[in-house]
Amino acid sequence: MTLSRCMVAIEGFSKVGSALVTLLDEANAKVVAISTERGAITNPHGLNVRQLNQLAAQYGSHLMDFYTDAEGICCADLFESTVDLLCPCATHPSLHAHDASRVPARLICPGANEPVTAEAEKILFELGLMDLPGFVTNCGGMLGSTMALRR
């Protein structure tokens, strides 16, 4: 699996999620769904990342009300998006056992602190889905904060 061929859904479009969306777009991945605290949007043909970032800068999490080239979905439905890569970057825990069996993504790569419950991790493992540990995928923010405090 290469990023340039991946379809991606990102839960949370704040500091981590918006930065990740930009990096994925630069790697030619197709970001097809995002969410904020106001809801989620999806477009199987891909979202316009530049427009998302502009709307987020102007309207914050209300960008959902102004992005017109997507379908609005429930935040919980984001986990059911037909994608290769699911990135929970919102809060902890957001992916629970009752959601795990409905996740079609091949790879879950968290950007939030412990977004997947232990029960959900077990189900994902049993389904053969790769759920990368948050302490590995999300360590940059904590390391950066810790290093900044020591200066």
Side-chain angles (χ1 to χ4, degrees), residues 80-94:
E80 297 180 35
S81 299
T82 303
V83 295
D84 303 295
L85 177 61
L86 172 64
C87 301
C89 298
T91 186
H92 65 280
S94 59

Side-chain angles (χ1 to χ4, degrees), residues 59-144:
Y59 301 108
S61 64
H62 292 266
L63 73 97
M64 303 299 182
D65 301 329
F66 300 94
Y67 190 93
T68 58
D69 191 24
E71 175 187 349
I73 59 172
C74 174
C75 286
D77 292 342
L78 180 95
F79 294 127
E80 297 180 35
S81 299
T82 303
V83 295
D84 303 295
L85 177 61
L86 172 64
C87 301
C89 298
T91 186
H92 65 280
S94 59
L95 182 56
H96 300 273
H98 64 274
D99 299 315
S101 63
R102 300 189 314 247
V103 172
R106 294 172 41 199
L107 176 64
I108 296 94
C109 183
N113 294 323
E114 301 181 41
V116 183
T117 66
E119 297 83 13
E121 285 179 344
K122 183 178 181 209
I123 293 167
L124 293 169
F125 177 79
E126 290 169 354
L127 291 171
L129 302 178
M130 184 172 289
D131 173 31
L132 300 174
F135 71 88
V136 173
T137 62
N138 189 29
C139 68
M142 290 307 295
L143 286 174

Side-chain angles (χ1 to χ4, degrees), residues 13 18 21-26 29 31 34 46-58 63 67:
F13 197 77
S18 63
V21 165
T22 301
L23 291 171
L24 289 167
D25 185 56
E26 290 171 0
V31 178
I34 65 159
L47 300 170
N48 182 323
V49 171
R50 179 176 289 150
Q51 184 180 10
L52 287 173
N53 284 325
Q54 289 171 343
L55 291 171
Q58 191 170 1
L63 73 97
Y67 190 93

